């Protein structure tokens, strides 16, 4: 018979052997069977702002794997876009900050509280768009900047959304973006790009009804 048993992360790392894990699980199951009741607990939905939030199953998996390999970048979602024509860098910076202000996920960090991984939403702070000047003839230098831009995230301390603007000419720029998969996926990232474009062009954006953390 199978049982769904939740093991706190601190216990998982403390119980370093299969035997210890088995003994730990056995104790939990014995207690659970003795206290089992035939009733369900209703799901409570609250809009109350909290100090921290629980993680989804997928986020828990990403968090644990990231702890084992903190220097890895396979959970990064990097992209780069060539922008032709005049670009107002200050306006782009404002559009990026509007996204950060609107979406809690882009201001989230992840840490352990009482042995459990949780999401902590940081207060909004205006950021400066990182900019570098290159020329179209410096293809190798452009590639170096893009390669250096993609680096591992510290889930507890780093902003999990990064941006870099390379100015190649007055009418040619490269915008590089990178976000950690623990706060976004391919679909949500495309929606963020559409919102960034709308904010830059001055289009009105609907209120954010739900925050996903």
């Amino acid at each position: 018979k199978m049982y769904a048993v939740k093991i706190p992360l601190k216990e998982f790392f403390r119980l370093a052997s299969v035997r210890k894990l088995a003994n730990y699980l056995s104790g939990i199951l014995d207690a659970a069977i003795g206290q089992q009741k035939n009733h369900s607990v209703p799901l409570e939905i609250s809009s109350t702002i909290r100090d921290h939030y629980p993680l989804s199953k997928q986020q828990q998996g990403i968090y644990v794997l990231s702890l084992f390999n903190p220097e890895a970048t396979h959970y990064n979602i990097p992209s780069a876009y060539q922008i032709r024509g005049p670009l107002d860098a200050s306006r782009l910076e404002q559009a990026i900050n509007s996204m950060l202000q609107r979406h809690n996920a882009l201001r989230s960090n992840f840490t352990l509280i009482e042995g459990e991984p949780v999401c902590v939403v940081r207060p909004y702070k205006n950021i400066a768009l990182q900019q570098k000047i290159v020329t179209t003839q410096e293809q190798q230098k452009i590639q170096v900047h893009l390669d250096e831009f993609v680096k591992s995230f510290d889930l507890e301390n780093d902003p999990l959304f990064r941006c870099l603007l390379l100015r190649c000419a007055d009418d040619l720029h490269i915008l590089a973006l990178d976000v950690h998969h623990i706060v976004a996926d391919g679909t949500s990232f495309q929606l963020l790009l559409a919102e960034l474009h709308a904010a830059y062009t001055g289009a009105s954006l609907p209120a954010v009804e739900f925050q996903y953390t």
Side-chain angles (χ1 to χ4, degrees), residues 56-77:
S56 68
K57 294 295 184 183
Q58 184 182 28
Q59 287 177 317
Q60 289 177 15
I62 293 173
Y63 181 83
V64 171
L65 292 174
S66 296
L67 288 182
F68 283 105
N69 195 4
E71 299 303 315
T73 58
H74 51 260
Y75 282 121
N76 292 42
I77 307 178

Side-chain angles (χ1 to χ4, degrees), residues 89-148:
S90 176
R91 192 170 180 177
L92 177 60
E93 181 180 280
Q94 292 175 7
I96 291 170
N97 276 288
S98 73
M99 284 201 321
L100 293 175
Q101 189 172 21
R102 283 167 54 84
H103 297 287
N104 288 353
L106 299 181
R107 293 182 280 108
S108 294
N109 284 114
F110 297 82
T111 188
L112 290 174
I113 296 182
E114 297 181 354
E116 291 295 325
V118 298
C119 170
V120 178
V121 178
R122 306 298 185 189
Y124 165 71
K125 290 183 179 180
N126 193 71
I127 67 164
L129 173 61
Q130 183 184 8
Q131 301 183 49
K132 296 182 182 293
I133 299 176
V134 293
T135 65
T136 52
Q137 288 74 33
E138 298 176 302
Q139 292 296 321
Q140 185 174 358
K141 188 174 181 179
I142 291 173
Q143 190 59 54
V144 168
H145 283 313
L146 293 176
D147 290 342
E148 291 177 346

Side-chain angles (χ1 to χ4, degrees), residues 137-185:
Q137 288 74 33
E138 298 176 302
Q139 292 296 321
Q140 185 174 358
K141 188 174 181 179
I142 291 173
Q143 190 59 54
V144 168
H145 283 313
L146 293 176
D147 290 342
E148 291 177 346
F149 173 68
V150 180
K151 56 187 178 181
S152 60
F153 288 95
D154 178 344
L155 295 182
E156 186 169 356
N157 300 297
D158 288 348
L160 301 184
F161 174 72
R162 299 180 182 135
C163 44
L164 167 69
L165 183 66
L166 299 179
R167 183 181 181 276
C168 305
D170 290 343
D171 58 351
L172 179 60
H173 296 76
I174 297 174
L175 176 63
L177 304 173
D178 195 9
V179 64
H180 198 283
H181 185 41
I182 201 168
V183 297
D185 58 17

Side-chain angles (χ1 to χ4, degrees), residues 38-52:
N38 295 321
H39 70 276
S40 61
V41 179
L43 179 65
E44 181 178 348
I45 301 175
S46 173
S47 59
T48 303
I49 297 176
R50 309 176 189 174
D51 292 333
H52 57 271

